[in-house]
Amino acid sequence: MKFVFLALFLAMFTQTLTTGISLFDMWDSFIAMSIVVLLSLIAKEYIKSPLPTFAYATIIGILICLPETAVRTFFLDSIGKVQFLSCTVPLLAFAGLSVGGKMEELKQLSWKIIVLFLVVATSCFLGASLIAQIGFTMKGII
């Protein structure tokens, strides 16, 4: 749990560096993200399901932002201050640390992991390009 709050603090810190918004002005964003993370960890603990914690966080975020909820405006206003890139920096750092502990497994995969990466990266690029092409064509931009 302490790593979660460390990641949230690092996200807020990188947000401050990139946008210039002070940490004091982002207290509500920190609280909103902490609530969603805490609720998703509690859900993962008590709901016996193979879903990862991230899926619970996504579901909770969707439920919070439904138009009928009383806390919708607080969450949308507070999370709206946070840019996606500032959250990815600490997450990628933690992901790199977790992969670093599994180097023996990665060595066993050898060249296969490179092929898998190329297939996934190419598929993501082509999928995003196709969606953009359809969207721009529908809007009459292209």
Side-chain angles (χ1 to χ4, degrees):
M1 189 67 169
K2 58 186 172 184
F3 289 118
V4 171
F5 289 113
L6 176 63
L8 286 172
F9 179 75
L10 287 174
M12 293 296 108
F13 182 70
T14 54
Q15 180 73 28
T16 300
L17 292 177
T18 57
T19 63
I21 300 174
S22 70
L23 283 174
F24 182 74
D25 292 335
M26 297 202 57
W27 67 269
D28 55 341
S29 302
F30 183 77
I31 289 173
M33 288 194 306
S34 298
I35 289 170
V36 171
V37 168
L38 184 65
L39 288 175
S40 62
L41 289 172
I42 290 171
K44 176 67 176 170
E45 183 70 28
Y46 291 108
I47 299 173
K48 301 303 177 201
S49 169
L51 288 175
T53 308
F54 183 79
Y56 289 113
T58 303
I59 293 168
I60 290 168
I62 290 170
L63 293 175
I64 285 173
C65 293
L66 288 174
E68 293 82 22
T69 56
V71 293
R72 178 179 190 254
T73 25
F74 169 74
F75 275 90
L76 290 179
D77 290 342
S78 60
I79 300 297
K81 297 178 196 175
V82 179
Q83 293 179 352
F84 177 71
L85 185 60
S86 65
C87 292
T88 60
V89 172
L91 291 176
L92 289 174
F94 284 124
L97 290 174
S98 70
V99 168
K102 300 177 182 175
M103 287 304 288
E104 292 304 317
E105 293 174 25
L106 286 176
K107 286 178 186 176
Q108 290 176 352
L109 292 174
S110 66
W111 61 272
K112 297 174 214 164
I113 196 77
I114 295 171
V115 172
L116 178 66
F117 165 75
L118 291 174
V119 169
V120 169
T122 304
S123 300
C124 288
F125 175 76
L126 292 175
S129 299
L130 179 66
I131 291 170
Q133 181 70 30
I134 293 169
F136 286 147
T137 304
M138 289 174 63
K139 289 274 189 180
I141 297 172
I142 296 179

